[in-house]
Amino acid sequence: MSGISDLFSITIDFEKSHLFFPRIMIGVIILLLLIIGLQSLIKRLGEGNLIESLKGFRFFEENYDKIKLYGSIASVGIYFFLMDYLGSFFPNQGLGFLITSIPFMFTMSFLLVGKDNFKNHRTSIVISSIATPLLSWILFAKIFFITLP
């Protein structure tokens, strides 16, 4: 009878449980990268000669928005640093995630929507910047007991 009960038991290694969500996200990003690369390769092969279609290839479009790109990269770096730093004050509670995710989502939304369109979207940006991290924290940290940084 203990063999059947072992099937329904869950053991959590709290030393490694914080790695659960990042591993899922890395897997999703790698999968999406492969899909995008495969779609691009199929498109270029359909255009004829692969070498010819690569001439003049640019990773970034001309006149790309440097503020959005570099602002996003800087925001992500600051977000991870502060999440880890604040998480050390509240170990295994996920408050580092919660406290840093709200301003991070607001900053990213502001960067990506742009200063001109912000007035039209500010209510939804503020609500989603607060609600999404809060609901994620409740779901993962409080209901499923998955440790967050």
Side-chain angles (χ1 to χ4, degrees), residues 31-48:
L31 178 66
L32 292 174
L33 179 65
L34 291 173
I35 291 170
I36 290 169
L38 187 60
Q39 286 177 334
S40 178
L41 180 64
I42 291 169
K43 178 184 170 193
R44 291 183 187 282
L45 287 172
E47 292 173 353

Side-chain angles (χ1 to χ4, degrees), residues 26-131:
I26 289 170
V28 169
I29 290 170
I30 290 171
L31 178 66
L32 292 174
L33 179 65
L34 291 173
I35 291 170
I36 290 169
L38 187 60
Q39 286 177 334
S40 178
L41 180 64
I42 291 169
K43 178 184 170 193
R44 291 183 187 282
L45 287 172
E47 292 173 353
N49 189 349
L50 180 63
I51 303 299
E52 285 295 319
S53 68
L54 289 175
K55 284 186 180 175
F57 173 76
R58 307 184 96 212
F59 189 75
F60 294 113
E61 295 178 6
E62 288 186 50
N63 301 320
Y64 67 96
D65 193 336
K66 292 175 176 63
I67 292 175
K68 286 182 182 178
L69 176 67
Y70 298 120
S72 297
I73 292 169
S75 295
V76 168
I78 293 167
Y79 172 61
F80 285 137
F81 172 77
L82 286 177
M83 187 174 12
D84 183 51
Y85 180 74
L86 291 175
S88 66
F89 290 108
F90 311 102
N92 299 325
Q93 295 179 35
L95 291 176
F97 167 81
L98 181 62
I99 294 168
T100 56
S101 293
I102 293 170
F104 171 72
M105 283 193 63
F106 181 84
T107 303
M108 290 300 293
S109 298
F110 179 77
L111 273 172
L112 298 176
V113 166
K115 185 177 177 181
D116 298 335
N117 294 327
F118 180 73
K119 289 181 183 178
N120 298 334
H121 301 285
R122 69 176 165 233
T123 304
S124 61
I125 288 173
V126 168
I127 291 170
S128 67
S129 295
I130 295 170

Side-chain angles (χ1 to χ4, degrees), residues 4-19:
I4 292 174
S5 65
D6 289 342
L7 291 173
F8 297 105
S9 66
I10 297 174
T11 50
I12 299 172
D13 183 3
F14 286 105
E15 296 291 323
K16 297 179 184 174
S17 64
H18 66 283
L19 300 174

